[in-house]
Amino acid sequence: AGLDVLAEDVAAGLRFLKTRPEIDAKRLGVSGGSQAGLILPRAARLFPGVRFIQLQGGSPGLKVEEQERLRLLLQMRADGFPQSEIDRAMRMRSLIDEWVKSGKGKDEMTAEWARVEKEYWAGYIDGLPSGDGAWLREAFKFDSAPDLIQFTGSLQVLYGGLDAITPTKQAKVMLEAALARSRIKDATITVVPDANHDY
């Protein structure tokens, strides 16, 4: 499923909750971690009654392509790989991203993957995109910043200072830029210094 479909699923769940007599439909909110940073702002646009969004380690405002490149870099650094291996992995990531975006370079990408797929760090890349890369191509276009900018409820975002999956420093900058243009009056951003992605 694409990110839009996942956001629709969340909105459908909220619409269902709104029909329940034991639920106060004026107090519905959403909470999630990691990829939820992209999905929940979109769900809140699809279901305008959301009162709060609470995120752990998510990065609304940071697009998937940039986040994936930074994730790969951070994970390899955290696990102690030498720069030479990080450079090889980043080259592989670049070849994948170029093919996904332009449709060009498939032969070069496939040949390079055959050379590196048995390297331990290849698991951080998680293989070549399936099919024609359409899912990743759509994910690269997905932007939750406009959704967050339109949100009017409360927002709480927790980041881990040692997070090697969400690039906390860059994600926080992008989030603050979105908040500066948003209608959100009640926002809290907290960096938990010794926490990783899963706290």
Side-chain angles (χ1 to χ4, degrees):
L3 297 170
D4 276 306
V5 172
L6 296 174
E8 287 279 3
D9 284 350
V10 174
L14 290 161
R15 285 191 289 273
F16 171 73
L17 288 174
K18 188 177 178 181
T19 69
R20 304 292 300 171
E22 71 274 22
I23 299 289
D24 183 349
K26 295 178 181 173
R27 298 178 66 197
L28 292 173
V30 290
S31 177
S34 199
Q35 194 178 73
L38 299 170
I39 295 166
L40 296 185
R42 178 66 50 90
R45 182 174 61 77
L46 296 170
F47 182 86
V50 171
R51 292 287 302 279
F52 70 85
I53 299 173
Q54 198 268 342
L55 301 171
Q56 311 97 43
S59 54
L62 196 60
K63 291 196 176 178
V64 171
E65 181 182 2
E66 184 181 8
Q67 180 167 330
E68 282 301 291
R69 292 185 64 77
L70 290 167
R71 177 192 60 77
L72 179 59
L73 181 66
L74 288 170
Q75 282 189 295
M76 291 188 71
R77 282 182 180 164
D79 288 345
F81 282 93
Q83 189 61 46
S84 59
E85 292 301 295
I86 293 173
D87 291 344
R88 291 178 70 202
M90 296 304 287
R91 171 174 156 63
M92 187 69 244
R93 181 78 253 171
S94 294
L95 291 171
I96 292 169
D97 294 349
E98 181 56 33
W99 173 70
V100 165
K101 291 185 294 185
S102 71
K104 297 176 183 173
K106 184 175 184 179
D107 291 343
E108 184 182 5
M109 173 191 72
T110 305
E112 184 65 19
W113 182 250
R115 284 191 283 274
V116 304
E117 66 180 323
K118 300 222 183 304
E119 299 287 352
Y120 182 80
W121 51 258
Y124 298 144
I125 295 175
D126 200 26
L128 297 180
S130 60
D132 65 356
W135 185 94
L136 194 54
R137 189 174 311 113
E138 286 305 307
F140 279 0
K141 295 175 187 173
F142 191 89
D143 186 1
S144 62
D147 303 313
L148 192 64
I149 288 166
Q150 292 301 312
F151 184 60
T152 57
S154 297
L155 176 72
Q156 180 190 47
V157 182
L158 298 172
Y159 290 118
L162 301 179
D163 195 334
I165 294 175
T166 294
T168 293
K169 182 180 176 183
Q170 293 88 344
K172 188 171 178 284
V173 168
M174 296 296 288
L175 175 60
E176 288 169 344
L179 287 176
R181 302 183 330 230
S182 79
R183 301 160 65 195
I184 299 171
K185 301 282 192 280
D186 176 24
T188 304
I189 303 170
T190 304
V191 177
V192 183
D194 295 328
N196 64 16
H197 192 65
D198 298 316
Y199 293 84

